[in-house]
Each structure stands twice: as structure tokens, then as C-alpha cells.
Amino acid sequence: RDLHSFPTRRSSDLLAGALSRPDVTADDRAWLAGLLALEARTGAIERSIVAEIVASGQIDASADKLQALDVLQADRRAMLRANETARARLASSAVAPAASLDRLREAASRAGIPVLLYWSTFTNVIAWYVGPDGSDVVNVFLPAAVLREKIGHVLDSSGGSLGRKPFDETAARELFLYLIAPFAKQLGSTAIKQIMIVPQGPLVQLPFEALMDPASGDFAIDRWAISYAPNATIAVAALERQNRPVRTVAALV
């Protein structure tokens, strides 16, 4: 029921807080950079271990990778202990209370904006709908390599190609079926004008607006305004924030 870690609750929370504080020092930035580097290396080894287990069917991971993982985790704990003062100072006002499922559902209900959360594994994408009518989770078989390939097709044939390639409608339709269509019943109401996406992994790069409904041929952006949040806690904060009327608009072409 703790959704802040969907997708992650680590030093990135401290980094977000540091960037918004006027008293952050060069030493603070160097310390945070070191922590993030350790976590990136730890995550890479963890993913490699899982990939080996999935590929071989053997539960035991290689001893050298487990040893390297232990060393990195020990180094991270040591870094955290070595700078408790900065850690407490940055975390005290930076990290919001973790979002619960009930709180996210209440915020989505009041705003009338469903939230779609995604978690990518080596073999599956876990998609979670939280909205005014409750919540639902589906497990979609979509290996990470295939997911990255399809996202790449959408990106390469859209803005990244500067018009040199025709838009890959096949990939856009397939990703719609994988990621949005499982919640067609919940999202089918005409009262839903906006949705919020909490992506993770390769999905962070995906413009969900460009996905196409195979049944109608409509782009997602034709049906909903789409906003994004890096995790559920920030999604709750955004949904609970009071809407302010737009009084001026600046357009850059």
C-alpha cells in the first residue's frame, strides 16, 4: 500500500529536494552524485542477476555478482552514515509522506483524473489503474527488449526523424493495446477528459499521446489530455493541488 516507491524511492528523492533548496552546497551535490552513481551500478547488477535467472531457469545467481552487489550496498550504507547531517537536512523538507492506495484513489476521484502506473520487468509490464471507480492491476507479457524496440520505433519515426520517416502506426497501435486497452472499460466514459501516467524504465521515454487506438484510429491525445508524474506520491500532490485559472498564454513557434 506504499506507492511512493512505484517506481522508486531512493536518493532521487533527496536529489529532488536538494535542487529546490537555496542552501545546497557543492559538497552536498558531490555526495548526492556519489550516492546516485552507486545506486545506478547496484541497479545494473540487480538487473543482470535477474536476467541470468530468467534465461537459465536457475535460482542461484553467480557468486561474483552477488559479492559485487554486497560491496556496493555496503558502500552506499557507509556513505549514508558518513553524512547523516546533510541527509537529515535535505530529507526533512524534501520527501513527502508516502502515498497510500486509498489516498491516491481519493485524489483521483476528487480530480476526476485516473492514474495509470507502469512497472517494467524483464518479461512483463505491470499496469495499474487507479481512478474514481476503484483500482485494477494487469500483468502484460511484454519482454523488456521487445518493449524497448517498439518504443524506439515510435520515437524514431516521430519527432526524432524530423519527418524523414513515416510514423510507425503499427508500433503505436501495439503499445496502445498493451498499455491502455486493458483499462478500456474504466477509461471509456466520456466524462474522463484527462489521465495521468506514472511511467518507469523504458516507458519514461514513451510519448503516450502518440499511441493509437486500433479500433477507432484515434491518437490518445485526441481523447485525453495526458500528464505525467515520476511516482505516486508526486501524482497525489499534483492531483490535490488547487487548479489555478489560466490568465495569460505565451506561445513559442
Side-chain angles (χ1 to χ4, degrees), residues 19 27 41-42 45 49 52 61 84 95-96 119 128 135-136 145 158 174 179 198 208 227 230 241 247:
L19 294 177
D27 288 341
R41 292 167 59 192
T42 301
I45 293 177
I49 290 173
E52 286 185 3
E84 288 285 356
V95 181
W119 181 266
W128 194 347
S135 62
D136 189 20
S158 54
E174 290 173 345
L179 303 175
V198 180
F208 280 73
S227 54
R241 187 178 301 125
R247 291 187 171 88

PDB file of all heavy atoms in Angstrom, residues 19 27 41-42 45 49 52 61 84 95-96 119 128 135-136 145 158 174 179 198 208 227 230 241 247:
ATOM      1  N   LEU A  19      17.729  20.090  -5.231  1.00  0.00           N
ATOM      2  CA  LEU A  19      17.647  21.030  -6.341  1.00  0.00           C
ATOM      3  C   LEU A  19      16.702  22.187  -6.049  1.00  0.00           C
ATOM      4  O   LEU A  19      16.797  23.232  -6.685  1.00  0.00           O
ATOM      5  CB  LEU A  19      17.207  20.293  -7.610  1.00  0.00           C
ATOM      6  CG  LEU A  19      18.198  19.260  -8.143  1.00  0.00           C
ATOM      7  CD1 LEU A  19      17.620  18.539  -9.345  1.00  0.00           C
ATOM      8  CD2 LEU A  19      19.525  19.916  -8.499  1.00  0.00           C
ATOM      9  N   ASP A  27      29.505  20.430  -1.748  1.00  0.00           N
ATOM     10  CA  ASP A  27      29.742  19.141  -1.095  1.00  0.00           C
ATOM     11  C   ASP A  27      28.479  18.286  -1.093  1.00  0.00           C
ATOM     12  O   ASP A  27      28.549  17.057  -1.276  1.00  0.00           O
ATOM     13  CB  ASP A  27      30.229  19.360   0.338  1.00  0.00           C
ATOM     14  CG  ASP A  27      31.654  19.894   0.396  1.00  0.00           C
ATOM     15  OD1 ASP A  27      32.371  19.759  -0.617  1.00  0.00           O
ATOM     16  OD2 ASP A  27      32.022  20.456   1.439  1.00  0.00           O
ATOM     17  N   ARG A  41      24.922   1.645 -10.355  1.00  0.00           N
ATOM     18  CA  ARG A  41      25.718   0.422 -10.502  1.00  0.00           C
ATOM     19  C   ARG A  41      25.029  -0.759  -9.816  1.00  0.00           C
ATOM     20  O   ARG A  41      25.015  -1.890 -10.345  1.00  0.00           O
ATOM     21  CB  ARG A  41      27.103   0.647  -9.919  1.00  0.00           C
ATOM     22  CG  ARG A  41      27.950   1.631 -10.721  1.00  0.00           C
ATOM     23  CD  ARG A  41      29.184   2.072  -9.940  1.00  0.00           C
ATOM     24  NE  ARG A  41      30.031   0.945  -9.587  1.00  0.00           N
ATOM     25  CZ  ARG A  41      31.031   1.027  -8.710  1.00  0.00           C
ATOM     26  NH1 ARG A  41      31.268   2.177  -8.080  1.00  0.00           N
ATOM     27  NH2 ARG A  41      31.777  -0.032  -8.461  1.00  0.00           N
ATOM     28  N   THR A  42      24.440  -0.506  -8.646  1.00  0.00           N
ATOM     29  CA  THR A  42      23.708  -1.571  -7.952  1.00  0.00           C
ATOM     30  C   THR A  42      22.537  -2.063  -8.785  1.00  0.00           C
ATOM     31  O   THR A  42      22.318  -3.271  -8.934  1.00  0.00           O
ATOM     32  CB  THR A  42      23.208  -1.063  -6.586  1.00  0.00           C
ATOM     33  OG1 THR A  42      24.323  -0.647  -5.800  1.00  0.00           O
ATOM     34  CG2 THR A  42      22.439  -2.145  -5.850  1.00  0.00           C
ATOM     35  N   ILE A  45      23.629  -4.318 -11.695  1.00  0.00           N
ATOM     36  CA  ILE A  45      23.953  -5.692 -11.285  1.00  0.00           C
ATOM     37  C   ILE A  45      22.685  -6.467 -10.934  1.00  0.00           C
ATOM     38  O   ILE A  45      22.543  -7.644 -11.292  1.00  0.00           O
ATOM     39  CB  ILE A  45      24.934  -5.670 -10.095  1.00  0.00           C
ATOM     40  CG1 ILE A  45      26.283  -5.106 -10.536  1.00  0.00           C
ATOM     41  CG2 ILE A  45      25.121  -7.073  -9.521  1.00  0.00           C
ATOM     42  CD1 ILE A  45      27.294  -4.983  -9.414  1.00  0.00           C
ATOM     43  N   ILE A  49      21.488  -9.945 -12.691  1.00  0.00           N
ATOM     44  CA  ILE A  49      21.217 -11.185 -11.949  1.00  0.00           C
ATOM     45  C   ILE A  49      19.846 -11.737 -12.319  1.00  0.00           C
ATOM     46  O   ILE A  49      19.684 -12.938 -12.581  1.00  0.00           O
ATOM     47  CB  ILE A  49      21.317 -10.925 -10.434  1.00  0.00           C
ATOM     48  CG1 ILE A  49      22.780 -10.678 -10.037  1.00  0.00           C
ATOM     49  CG2 ILE A  49      20.750 -12.102  -9.645  1.00  0.00           C
ATOM     50  CD1 ILE A  49      22.954 -10.250  -8.590  1.00  0.00           C
ATOM     51  N   GLU A  52      19.894 -13.308 -15.767  1.00  0.00           N
ATOM     52  CA  GLU A  52      20.508 -14.638 -15.779  1.00  0.00           C
ATOM     53  C   GLU A  52      19.549 -15.692 -15.241  1.00  0.00           C
ATOM     54  O   GLU A  52      19.460 -16.805 -15.780  1.00  0.00           O
ATOM     55  CB  GLU A  52      21.791 -14.617 -14.945  1.00  0.00           C
ATOM     56  CG  GLU A  52      22.953 -13.903 -15.601  1.00  0.00           C
ATOM     57  CD  GLU A  52      24.224 -14.022 -14.767  1.00  0.00           C
ATOM     58  OE1 GLU A  52      24.185 -14.712 -13.731  1.00  0.00           O
ATOM     59  OE2 GLU A  52      25.237 -13.428 -15.160  1.00  0.00           O
ATOM     60  N   ALA A  61      22.262 -17.242  -8.330  1.00  0.00           N
ATOM     61  CA  ALA A  61      22.976 -16.268  -9.151  1.00  0.00           C
ATOM     62  C   ALA A  61      24.483 -16.494  -9.003  1.00  0.00           C
ATOM     63  O   ALA A  61      24.929 -17.163  -8.075  1.00  0.00           O
ATOM     64  CB  ALA A  61      22.611 -14.854  -8.717  1.00  0.00           C
ATOM     65  N   GLU A  84      25.227  11.981   7.817  1.00  0.00           N
ATOM     66  CA  GLU A  84      23.887  11.984   8.398  1.00  0.00           C
ATOM     67  C   GLU A  84      23.318  13.395   8.489  1.00  0.00           C
ATOM     68  O   GLU A  84      22.115  13.603   8.328  1.00  0.00           O
ATOM     69  CB  GLU A  84      23.916  11.350   9.795  1.00  0.00           C
ATOM     70  CG  GLU A  84      24.103   9.843   9.788  1.00  0.00           C
ATOM     71  CD  GLU A  84      22.844   9.108   9.375  1.00  0.00           C
ATOM     72  OE1 GLU A  84      21.806   9.765   9.169  1.00  0.00           O
ATOM     73  OE2 GLU A  84      22.902   7.876   9.232  1.00  0.00           O
ATOM     74  N   VAL A  95      11.194  15.063   1.233  1.00  0.00           N
ATOM     75  CA  VAL A  95      10.434  13.854   0.946  1.00  0.00           C
ATOM     76  C   VAL A  95       9.030  13.965   1.519  1.00  0.00           C
ATOM     77  O   VAL A  95       8.857  14.135   2.718  1.00  0.00           O
ATOM     78  CB  VAL A  95      11.157  12.626   1.533  1.00  0.00           C
ATOM     79  CG1 VAL A  95      10.377  11.370   1.219  1.00  0.00           C
ATOM     80  CG2 VAL A  95      12.565  12.543   0.980  1.00  0.00           C
ATOM     81  N   ALA A  96       8.055  13.874   0.659  1.00  0.00           N
ATOM     82  CA  ALA A  96       6.662  13.919   1.103  1.00  0.00           C
ATOM     83  C   ALA A  96       6.278  12.572   1.699  1.00  0.00           C
ATOM     84  O   ALA A  96       6.899  11.554   1.416  1.00  0.00           O
ATOM     85  CB  ALA A  96       5.760  14.235  -0.090  1.00  0.00           C
ATOM     86  N   TRP A 119       5.109  -0.577 -14.353  1.00  0.00           N
ATOM     87  CA  TRP A 119       6.372  -1.111 -13.863  1.00  0.00           C
ATOM     88  C   TRP A 119       6.851  -2.159 -14.851  1.00  0.00           C
ATOM     89  O   TRP A 119       6.158  -3.134 -15.129  1.00  0.00           O
ATOM     90  CB  TRP A 119       6.192  -1.730 -12.476  1.00  0.00           C
ATOM     91  CG  TRP A 119       7.468  -2.276 -11.909  1.00  0.00           C
ATOM     92  CD1 TRP A 119       7.932  -3.559 -11.994  1.00  0.00           C
ATOM     93  CD2 TRP A 119       8.458  -1.553 -11.185  1.00  0.00           C
ATOM     94  NE1 TRP A 119       9.136  -3.684 -11.364  1.00  0.00           N
ATOM     95  CE2 TRP A 119       9.497  -2.465 -10.854  1.00  0.00           C
ATOM     96  CE3 TRP A 119       8.573  -0.232 -10.768  1.00  0.00           C
ATOM     97  CZ2 TRP A 119      10.626  -2.081 -10.134  1.00  0.00           C
ATOM     98  CZ3 TRP A 119       9.707   0.147 -10.054  1.00  0.00           C
ATOM     99  CH2 TRP A 119      10.700  -0.778  -9.740  1.00  0.00           C
ATOM    100  N   TRP A 128      -1.201  -0.609 -13.648  1.00  0.00           N
ATOM    101  CA  TRP A 128      -2.090  -0.425 -12.501  1.00  0.00           C
ATOM    102  C   TRP A 128      -2.969   0.791 -12.750  1.00  0.00           C
ATOM    103  O   TRP A 128      -2.469   1.895 -12.960  1.00  0.00           O
ATOM    104  CB  TRP A 128      -1.252  -0.226 -11.244  1.00  0.00           C
ATOM    105  CG  TRP A 128      -1.995  -0.355  -9.942  1.00  0.00           C
ATOM    106  CD1 TRP A 128      -3.338  -0.374  -9.753  1.00  0.00           C
ATOM    107  CD2 TRP A 128      -1.418  -0.481  -8.642  1.00  0.00           C
ATOM    108  NE1 TRP A 128      -3.636  -0.504  -8.426  1.00  0.00           N
ATOM    109  CE2 TRP A 128      -2.481  -0.569  -7.718  1.00  0.00           C
ATOM    110  CE3 TRP A 128      -0.107  -0.510  -8.169  1.00  0.00           C
ATOM    111  CZ2 TRP A 128      -2.266  -0.677  -6.344  1.00  0.00           C
ATOM    112  CZ3 TRP A 128       0.110  -0.633  -6.809  1.00  0.00           C
ATOM    113  CH2 TRP A 128      -0.963  -0.719  -5.915  1.00  0.00           C
ATOM    114  N   SER A 135      -9.641   0.506  -8.386  1.00  0.00           N
ATOM    115  CA  SER A 135      -8.317   0.217  -8.933  1.00  0.00           C
ATOM    116  C   SER A 135      -8.307  -1.178  -9.542  1.00  0.00           C
ATOM    117  O   SER A 135      -9.131  -2.037  -9.199  1.00  0.00           O
ATOM    118  CB  SER A 135      -7.241   0.328  -7.849  1.00  0.00           C
ATOM    119  OG  SER A 135      -7.465  -0.614  -6.821  1.00  0.00           O
ATOM    120  N   ASP A 136      -7.354  -1.389 -10.449  1.00  0.00           N
ATOM    121  CA  ASP A 136      -7.235  -2.677 -11.121  1.00  0.00           C
ATOM    122  C   ASP A 136      -5.790  -2.839 -11.572  1.00  0.00           C
ATOM    123  O   ASP A 136      -5.137  -1.865 -11.955  1.00  0.00           O
ATOM    124  CB  ASP A 136      -8.177  -2.734 -12.329  1.00  0.00           C
ATOM    125  CG  ASP A 136      -8.264  -4.119 -12.932  1.00  0.00           C
ATOM    126  OD1 ASP A 136      -7.916  -5.094 -12.222  1.00  0.00           O
ATOM    127  OD2 ASP A 136      -8.666  -4.246 -14.095  1.00  0.00           O
ATOM    128  N   ALA A 145      13.093  -6.232 -23.855  1.00  0.00           N
ATOM    129  CA  ALA A 145      13.746  -5.991 -25.149  1.00  0.00           C
ATOM    130  C   ALA A 145      12.723  -5.635 -26.220  1.00  0.00           C
ATOM    131  O   ALA A 145      12.956  -4.738 -27.046  1.00  0.00           O
ATOM    132  CB  ALA A 145      14.539  -7.220 -25.566  1.00  0.00           C
ATOM    133  N   SER A 158       8.872   9.513 -35.204  1.00  0.00           N
ATOM    134  CA  SER A 158       8.100  10.722 -34.883  1.00  0.00           C
ATOM    135  C   SER A 158       9.040  11.914 -34.860  1.00  0.00           C
ATOM    136  O   SER A 158       9.695  12.217 -35.851  1.00  0.00           O
ATOM    137  CB  SER A 158       7.373  10.548 -33.548  1.00  0.00           C
ATOM    138  OG  SER A 158       8.273  10.174 -32.511  1.00  0.00           O
ATOM    139  N   GLU A 174       0.157  -1.228 -31.326  1.00  0.00           N
ATOM    140  CA  GLU A 174       0.504  -2.344 -30.453  1.00  0.00           C
ATOM    141  C   GLU A 174       0.716  -1.881 -29.012  1.00  0.00           C
ATOM    142  O   GLU A 174       0.248  -2.523 -28.060  1.00  0.00           O
ATOM    143  CB  GLU A 174       1.757  -3.041 -30.987  1.00  0.00           C
ATOM    144  CG  GLU A 174       1.517  -3.808 -32.277  1.00  0.00           C
ATOM    145  CD  GLU A 174       2.799  -4.355 -32.881  1.00  0.00           C
ATOM    146  OE1 GLU A 174       3.897  -3.907 -32.470  1.00  0.00           O
ATOM    147  OE2 GLU A 174       2.717  -5.223 -33.769  1.00  0.00           O
ATOM    148  N   LEU A 179      -0.734  -1.284 -23.263  1.00  0.00           N
ATOM    149  CA  LEU A 179      -0.625  -0.388 -22.117  1.00  0.00           C
ATOM    150  C   LEU A 179      -1.937   0.289 -21.712  1.00  0.00           C
ATOM    151  O   LEU A 179      -2.152   0.548 -20.519  1.00  0.00           O
ATOM    152  CB  LEU A 179       0.422   0.697 -22.410  1.00  0.00           C
ATOM    153  CG  LEU A 179       1.821   0.187 -22.762  1.00  0.00           C
ATOM    154  CD1 LEU A 179       2.729   1.350 -23.149  1.00  0.00           C
ATOM    155  CD2 LEU A 179       2.416  -0.597 -21.595  1.00  0.00           C
ATOM    156  N   VAL A 198       2.206   7.412 -14.698  1.00  0.00           N
ATOM    157  CA  VAL A 198       3.398   7.266 -13.859  1.00  0.00           C
ATOM    158  C   VAL A 198       4.234   6.165 -14.507  1.00  0.00           C
ATOM    159  O   VAL A 198       4.003   4.978 -14.265  1.00  0.00           O
ATOM    160  CB  VAL A 198       3.030   6.918 -12.405  1.00  0.00           C
ATOM    161  CG1 VAL A 198       4.293   6.767 -11.561  1.00  0.00           C
ATOM    162  CG2 VAL A 198       2.119   7.983 -11.805  1.00  0.00           C
ATOM    163  N   PHE A 208       3.009   8.847 -24.562  1.00  0.00           N
ATOM    164  CA  PHE A 208       1.738   8.121 -24.590  1.00  0.00           C
ATOM    165  C   PHE A 208       0.714   8.827 -25.476  1.00  0.00           C
ATOM    166  O   PHE A 208      -0.220   8.193 -25.968  1.00  0.00           O
ATOM    167  CB  PHE A 208       1.196   7.980 -23.165  1.00  0.00           C
ATOM    168  CG  PHE A 208       1.829   6.870 -22.380  1.00  0.00           C
ATOM    169  CD1 PHE A 208       3.119   6.981 -21.901  1.00  0.00           C
ATOM    170  CD2 PHE A 208       1.131   5.696 -22.115  1.00  0.00           C
ATOM    171  CE1 PHE A 208       3.710   5.960 -21.178  1.00  0.00           C
ATOM    172  CE2 PHE A 208       1.712   4.664 -21.391  1.00  0.00           C
ATOM    173  CZ  PHE A 208       3.009   4.788 -20.915  1.00  0.00           C
ATOM    174  N   SER A 227      -0.979  13.911 -18.636  1.00  0.00           N
ATOM    175  CA  SER A 227       0.084  14.486 -17.809  1.00  0.00           C
ATOM    176  C   SER A 227       0.888  13.351 -17.198  1.00  0.00           C
ATOM    177  O   SER A 227       0.463  12.197 -17.212  1.00  0.00           O
ATOM    178  CB  SER A 227      -0.505  15.385 -16.721  1.00  0.00           C
ATOM    179  OG  SER A 227      -1.477  14.684 -15.957  1.00  0.00           O
ATOM    180  N   PRO A 230       6.548  11.391 -11.770  1.00  0.00           N
ATOM    181  CA  PRO A 230       7.619  10.413 -11.623  1.00  0.00           C
ATOM    182  C   PRO A 230       7.310   9.309 -10.629  1.00  0.00           C
ATOM    183  O   PRO A 230       7.929   8.252 -10.678  1.00  0.00           O
ATOM    184  CB  PRO A 230       8.810  11.262 -11.148  1.00  0.00           C
ATOM    185  CG  PRO A 230       8.180  12.426 -10.473  1.00  0.00           C
ATOM    186  CD  PRO A 230       6.916  12.705 -11.225  1.00  0.00           C
ATOM    187  N   ARG A 241      -3.446  19.477  -5.698  1.00  0.00           N
ATOM    188  CA  ARG A 241      -3.157  20.904  -5.824  1.00  0.00           C
ATOM    189  C   ARG A 241      -4.363  21.629  -6.417  1.00  0.00           C
ATOM    190  O   ARG A 241      -4.999  21.153  -7.359  1.00  0.00           O
ATOM    191  CB  ARG A 241      -1.935  21.121  -6.711  1.00  0.00           C
ATOM    192  CG  ARG A 241      -1.454  22.564  -6.773  1.00  0.00           C
ATOM    193  CD  ARG A 241      -0.215  22.678  -7.639  1.00  0.00           C
ATOM    194  NE  ARG A 241       0.864  21.848  -7.122  1.00  0.00           N
ATOM    195  CZ  ARG A 241       1.488  20.927  -7.823  1.00  0.00           C
ATOM    196  NH1 ARG A 241       1.110  20.682  -9.065  1.00  0.00           N
ATOM    197  NH2 ARG A 241       2.472  20.224  -7.294  1.00  0.00           N
ATOM    198  N   ARG A 247      -4.616  32.831 -17.039  1.00  0.00           N
ATOM    199  CA  ARG A 247      -4.948  34.201 -17.413  1.00  0.00           C
ATOM    200  C   ARG A 247      -4.136  34.691 -18.608  1.00  0.00           C
ATOM    201  O   ARG A 247      -4.581  35.556 -19.354  1.00  0.00           O
ATOM    202  CB  ARG A 247      -4.712  35.128 -16.220  1.00  0.00           C
ATOM    203  CG  ARG A 247      -5.711  34.895 -15.078  1.00  0.00           C
ATOM    204  CD  ARG A 247      -5.562  35.955 -13.987  1.00  0.00           C
ATOM    205  NE  ARG A 247      -6.648  35.844 -13.008  1.00  0.00           N
ATOM    206  CZ  ARG A 247      -6.602  35.067 -11.938  1.00  0.00           C
ATOM    207  NH1 ARG A 247      -5.536  34.313 -11.725  1.00  0.00           N
ATOM    208  NH2 ARG A 247      -7.601  35.007 -11.090  1.00  0.00           N
TER     209      ARG A 247
END
